Amino acid sequence: MTSASKRRVAYYYDADVGNFSYGLGHPMKPHRMRMTHQLVSSYGMLEKMDVISLMLTAETQHQWPARATPVQMTRFHTDEYIDFLHRVSPETAQEMTYGGTRFLVGEDNPAFDGLFEFCSISAGGSIDAAKRLNEGKSDIGINWAGGLHHAKKREASGFCYVNDIVLAILELLRYHARVLYIDIDCHHGDGVEEAFYTTDRVLTCSFHKQKDYFPGTGRAEDIGKGKGKGYSVNVPFLNGVTDEEYRSVFEPVIHHIMEWYRPGAVILQCGADSLSGDKLGVFNLSMHGHASCVRFLRTFNVPLILLGGGGYTIKNVSSAWTYETACAIGIEKDLDLNLPFTPYLEYYGPRYRLEVEPSNMTDDNGPYLEAMKMQALEGLRDLPFAPSVGLHQVPGTDLAEEVGIRVRDEDEESELSDLDVQLAQRIRDVYAAEDSETAASSDTESITSQPRRSLMSYFREAEGKKRRNDGSSDDDATEDDDETEDERSTDGDRRRRETRREPKANGIRSTRHSRSRAPLIVETVDGLVFGQKSWLTLPESGSRSRNKSSSGKPKRYFFKRDLADEGMRMVSTHGHEEDDEDEESSDEVPLDGRDDMSLDDGDDQAGSASTTGVEQRNGASRSWRDTPDATDSIASFQ
């Protein structure tokens, strides 16, 4: 092992990770990883690390990051869940989740385009970082795209789909007898804790907000079960914890764990929603207070992996992770806090400095903090010193796994499926199965009996409070994010805006439409044309006869938007029955949206349900490429 002052750092970045989007109005923005990478590059840190990146230039040839395969993901997740992630799309999500009752439950985890590729990038970087530590090629691995600690064995949770942390720990356990996982995200790392709740080979330690906060788990009394009793450490804070208070608890607890547990490797999840000013966070940590956890762990000279996590004020996220990258290298004292030029420099105004300053929010901790620290230390004193593991051969990988082929005997597969069903029975209820001698207080019982709220509900609540405090002035709007008025949602169910129709010169009425380049596939009933992101009416004259086939069923129309003249050109029609071949297939249907109302993303289905005489068929929500005869119909403009 190299000295503590000089560490070999492997840095993982995939240029595609910033291209994904959870959807309009969603607080999780993968674009923050691209902002972080640009800032790290502008500070000249890439030359000081082993960069495993997909961005290859003529000057610097970097190594390519390995993306996780479905076989690697099934080391923790169930086969059916990974197969679901591989096949799901926004159009098929409702059907494949059985109405949102399995795999993707609730509103936190949408099925966006490229979902599986995003998961493979996140998990691949964390797994490869663990492999490099095992092989002795690196002392510290950094993957800011990882740290998705809420994902469960067979379902997504809290913006997380594949638990890259669990997969990285499983890789580390191939060579190390004990692994320590530390979580400084504002939310409890429930997915990782549940995965290793009954083993002493992984000690999980989480510093978070617990009471009346997502996911509601992580009480100080939750210490593990069976062989893993005592190896789950939870330190719940209250609102407004400061740098000094956080450090006064973090350093004594982690120092005791490192001296007594003696882990062979450490994973630190650096969730940035614990920073001051985060949209979903309730702590008051500065950038330096957050990074002090990285600096402290670096002094132990133990193989270390730094992962991302939460963080929803993206300029603060990129600033903190850039500074912590410098801490891993050991050059944080040499950084100029005045930002260098970066393509996203305008995000960091008006000060344009590498900083996240604490606010004057109320600190609710006080004497409670000391009690939590003493409770955590008392629980650690009862643990045996460095639990050992019997000697065994390091598990290898066969050729089939290396090339992505998984061969199983049919009997073995059926047995694993039955076991899978048994183990997956609402794994999140593990916290309710406490030891018989543990008596929960009445206050705690009332908290755990409440239905679990989604992260998005907390986001809407925080946005509502902010709007009430700031009023309706545009001058007080936050300038650090690319959020617009359409992205801000209110409490309760979404309501479709009342559309205001105005007559056009040619007798056509329209609403403002989205500017997607893909053609719409729409169906008509009584002259009304409805699509995924747009709807309009055809001219009244002759529309009723043209829009129905001989059987009386609605026809399907293929449109292409012309962005130059704000129009849409009908390129073909297909009825559910045989259509007349002499029907026109190139009618011009203008669609002018300059003076129309805009529709919120996601309101299309609500709009179709509330419009008289409109029925949306299942086929209308499918991708236009999957529609029968779409290739021939669209050929005229490809």
Side-chain angles (χ1 to χ4, degrees):
M1 183 70 67
T2 58
S3 63
S5 60
K6 182 66 175 178
R7 307 297 296 275
R8 296 170 299 169
V9 180
Y11 174 81
Y12 289 82
Y13 176 71
D14 193 310
D16 292 338
V17 73
N19 296 335
F20 300 97
S21 172
Y22 277 59
L24 190 67
H26 201 287
M28 174 64 91
K29 301 185 183 299
H31 179 66
R32 62 198 179 139
M33 271 81 79
R34 178 172 291 169
M35 292 177 58
T36 302
H37 178 76
Q38 291 291 342
L39 204 52
V40 168
S41 177
S42 298
Y43 270 111
M45 300 184 198
L46 298 182
E47 291 77 12
K48 300 177 174 64
M49 300 182 290
D50 295 329
V51 180
I52 295 88
S53 172
L54 202 59
M55 296 184 64
L56 302 180
T57 63
E59 297 79 10
T60 306
Q61 291 294 323
H62 298 152
Q63 303 178 60
W64 286 54
R67 297 186 179 182
T69 64
V71 173
Q72 289 176 315
M73 296 179 186
T74 54
R75 292 174 182 172
F76 170 63
H77 297 283
T78 63
D79 291 354
E80 60 175 356
Y81 176 54
I82 297 303
D83 180 65
F84 163 81
L85 292 179
H86 197 270
R87 296 188 296 113
V88 72
S89 67
E91 293 81 11
T92 61
Q94 187 70 11
E95 176 185 357
M96 295 182 65
T97 61
Y98 294 90
T101 59
R102 58 184 303 192
F103 300 138
L104 303 181
V105 181
E107 59 183 338
D108 289 345
N109 296 84
F112 56 86
D113 289 324
L115 172 58
F116 184 80
E117 185 180 2
F118 174 76
C119 295
S120 67
I121 292 173
S122 171
S126 300
I127 294 173
D128 201 59
K131 287 182 178 180
R132 289 182 67 91
L133 262 63
N134 288 341
E135 297 167 358
K137 296 180 179 179
S138 304
D139 303 315
I140 299 177
I142 301 176
N143 178 30
W144 296 128
L148 306 181
H149 57 170
H150 292 306
K152 305 301 193 303
K153 183 179 181 67
R154 62 182 304 143
E155 71 177 16
S157 175
F159 310 161
C160 307
Y161 299 86
V162 171
N163 201 315
D164 63 290
I165 305 172
V166 173
L167 297 175
I169 292 176
L170 292 176
E171 183 65 30
L172 290 172
L173 289 175
R174 289 160 52 86
Y175 283 84
H176 299 283
R178 295 170 300 278
V179 175
L180 170 62
Y181 169 70
I182 304 172
D183 195 314
I184 60 174
D185 194 285
C186 193
H187 302 90
H188 177 235
D190 55 336
V192 183
E193 182 180 280
E194 288 179 3
F196 302 105
Y197 202 66
T198 59
T199 180
D200 59 355
R201 293 195 62 191
V202 179
L203 192 151
T204 61
C205 182
S206 180
F207 302 85
H208 54 272
K209 168 72 184 294
Q210 185 268 328
K211 187 176 181 181
D212 299 328
Y213 203 62
F214 181 89
T217 56
R219 296 173 298 137
E221 296 79 13
D222 297 330
I223 59 174
K225 288 186 68 66
K227 194 175 181 179
K229 186 175 182 180
Y231 292 94
S232 293
V233 181
N234 288 294
V235 184
F237 293 117
L238 299 180
N239 293 0
V241 62
T242 62
D243 292 351
E244 294 74 17
E245 291 174 334
Y246 201 95
R247 190 181 298 112
S248 69
V249 176
F250 181 87
E251 293 188 358
V253 171
I254 296 302
H255 185 272
H256 184 90
I257 292 174
M258 295 295 293
E259 292 297 323
W260 196 250
Y261 187 66
R262 297 295 179 91
V266 179
I267 293 182
L268 176 63
Q269 197 263 20
C270 304
D273 50 6
S274 51
L275 290 167
S276 177
D278 191 82
K279 291 181 179 180
L280 289 179
V282 293
F283 290 171
N284 196 21
L285 298 183
S286 69
M287 179 185 72
H288 295 281
H290 195 268
S292 65
C293 301
V294 178
R295 293 196 298 267
F296 183 71
L297 282 171
R298 192 177 183 274
T299 61
F300 291 98
N301 205 24
V302 174
L304 174 65
I305 297 179
L306 302 180
L307 302 176
Y312 310 100
T313 303
I314 57 178
K315 76 168 186 178
N316 292 349
V317 175
S318 57
S319 298
W321 288 350
T322 299
Y323 186 76
E324 287 164 2
T325 302
C327 292
I329 303 172
I331 62 171
E332 68 275 13
K333 295 181 180 179
D334 302 329
L335 285 187
D336 183 2
L337 297 185
N338 294 312
L339 292 177
F341 175 78
T342 171
Y344 307 104
L345 187 62
E346 67 273 11
Y347 282 74
Y348 303 93
R351 292 174 58 86
Y352 303 101
R353 288 177 57 83
L354 189 70
E355 62 182 9
V356 179
E357 295 297 328
S359 67
N360 59 350
M361 68 181 300
T362 304
D363 183 4
D364 297 335
N365 290 274
Y368 165 85
L369 206 63
E370 187 67 21
M372 287 295 100
K373 180 177 73 173
M374 295 308 299
Q375 183 173 350
L377 292 175
E378 285 296 328
L380 291 171
R381 290 192 180 99
D382 297 333
L383 297 181
F385 176 80
S388 60
V389 177
L391 295 177
H392 64 278
Q393 183 179 1
V394 176
T397 56
D398 56 22
L399 180 61
E401 285 193 25
E402 289 296 333
V403 299
I405 301 175
R406 191 174 187 182
V407 181
R408 277 185 174 178
D409 183 75
E410 294 183 359
D411 296 336
E412 180 187 357
E413 184 172 2
S414 61
E415 292 176 3
L416 291 177
S417 299
D418 295 338
L419 180 61
D420 218 18
V421 172
Q422 298 175 27
L423 294 178
Q425 293 295 328
R426 306 306 297 172
I427 193 169
R428 67 162 66 105
D429 295 335
V430 67
Y431 294 94
E434 300 179 3
D435 292 337
S436 57
E437 67 271 12
T438 302
S441 63
S442 58
D443 180 54
T444 302
E445 290 177 354
S446 63
I447 294 174
T448 56
S449 62
Q450 295 176 357
R452 172 169 162 173
R453 292 178 59 187
S454 67
L455 258 176
M456 290 294 291
S457 66
Y458 289 99
F459 175 66
R460 286 194 297 268
E461 181 180 338
E463 289 294 292
K465 290 180 180 178
K466 184 176 180 180
R467 286 197 301 272
R468 289 193 294 270
N469 293 336
D470 294 350
S472 59
S473 174
D474 293 337
D475 297 335
D476 295 335
T478 55
E479 56 197 330
D480 49 78
D481 281 301
D482 53 347
E483 195 172 73
T484 63
E485 285 297 326
D486 288 338
E487 289 180 293
R488 299 170 184 165
S489 52
T490 57
D491 294 337
D493 296 332
R494 284 182 160 189
R495 295 170 296 180
R496 186 174 69 88
R497 298 182 181 179
E498 184 177 344
T499 58
R500 175 168 50 90
R501 299 186 179 182
E502 297 182 1
K504 305 296 179 182
N506 56 0
I508 299 177
R509 307 175 188 271
S510 67
T511 62
R512 185 176 178 180
H513 62 283
S514 62
R515 301 299 179 89
S516 171
R517 293 184 180 272
L520 290 177
I521 295 181
V522 294
E523 293 188 355
T524 64
V525 178
D526 296 333
L528 186 65
V529 181
F530 182 83
Q532 283 186 290
K533 299 282 178 118
S534 312
W535 63 276
L536 57 111
T537 56
L538 293 173
E540 296 180 359
S541 60
S543 62
R544 198 173 290 269
S545 62
R546 290 184 39 149
N547 295 333
K548 290 188 178 181
S549 60
S550 58
S551 62
K553 296 183 179 180
K555 294 181 181 180
R556 179 170 299 161
Y557 284 77
F558 294 91
F559 286 89
K560 179 195 174 186
R561 288 197 183 87
D562 189 347
L563 299 182
D565 59 4
E566 299 289 337
M568 294 180 64
R569 181 164 60 86
M570 186 190 308
V571 296
S572 103
T573 63
H574 291 276
H576 298 284
E577 301 287 338
E578 290 187 359
D579 300 331
D580 296 334
E581 296 184 0
D582 57 348
E583 286 185 330
E584 299 180 10
S585 61
S586 60
D587 297 351
E588 292 292 332
V589 185
L591 182 60
D592 191 313
R594 288 173 293 181
D595 57 350
D596 296 317
M597 301 284 289
S598 62
L599 293 177
D600 285 344
D601 186 38
D603 287 345
D604 312 325
Q605 294 180 358
S608 64
S610 59
T611 305
T612 305
V614 179
E615 298 177 1
Q616 182 183 11
R617 299 178 58 87
N618 293 332
S621 64
R622 295 182 298 172
S623 171
W624 64 277
R625 301 182 186 275
D626 299 332
T627 306
D629 300 329
T631 304
D632 297 334
S633 304
I634 309 302
S636 59
F637 62 80
Q638 282 186 337

